[in-house]
């Protein structure tokens, strides 16, 4: 099991704007960044990414979450593999808890 403290550290150190920009062209819109949703498409920018809250949300299809959830959905990975994916980007080693 991956320790909760490590997951929080991972989320605290992941820039969701940079991460989302790997998948979506984002432009500034007030305090958020917006783009065409990679899940439902469309012509209008309904995909919002908040740097302040470190979350994403599409106001058309409803998908949203944090950086780990974005990786799970975009890369089609399980939770543990998504954590490892983000940890690798930050040059961190994923610790494990002993049961």
């Amino acid at each position: 099991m991956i320790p909760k403290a490590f997951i929080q550290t991972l989320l605290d150190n992941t820039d969701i704007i940079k991460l989302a920009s790997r998948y979506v062209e984002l432009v500034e819109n007030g305090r958020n960044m917006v783009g065409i949703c990679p899940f439902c498409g469309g012509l209008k920018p309904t995909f919002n990414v908040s740097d302040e809250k470190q979350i994403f949300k599409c106001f058309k299809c409803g998908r949203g979450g944090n950086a780990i959830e974005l990786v799970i959905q975009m890369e089609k990975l399980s939770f543990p593999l998504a954590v490892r994916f983000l940890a690798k980007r930050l040059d961190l080693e994923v610790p494990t808890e002993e049961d």
Side-chain angles (χ1 to χ4, degrees):
M1 183 181 287
I2 302 168
K4 289 181 183 180
F6 178 79
I7 293 169
Q8 190 59 54
T9 298
L10 189 66
L11 291 172
D12 290 344
N13 289 292
T14 298
D15 182 340
I16 198 164
I17 300 292
K18 286 183 181 178
L19 179 64
S21 293
R22 291 175 46 121
Y23 308 108
V24 180
E25 184 177 333
L26 297 172
V27 295
E28 194 171 341
N29 183 16
R31 294 184 350 203
N32 295 333
M33 301 292 283
V34 298
I36 303 298
C37 180
F39 308 113
C40 65
L43 300 174
K44 296 182 180 183
T46 58
F47 186 78
N48 287 257
V49 185
S50 171
D51 183 46
E52 180 182 324
K53 297 178 183 178
Q54 289 294 301
I55 59 170
F56 73 96
K57 173 75 175 175
C58 174
F59 290 100
K60 183 177 177 186
C61 68
R63 291 193 190 194
N66 59 25
I68 296 171
E69 186 61 32
L70 182 61
V71 170
I72 288 170
Q73 293 185 32
M74 293 303 301
E75 300 289 336
K76 310 278 193 261
L77 297 174
S78 65
F79 182 85
L81 290 177
V83 168
R84 285 181 177 78
F85 178 94
L86 290 174
K88 184 176 179 181
R89 287 176 45 100
L90 296 171
D91 291 324
L92 297 174
E93 187 173 325
V94 180
T96 57
E97 287 181 337
E98 298 296 324
D99 291 347

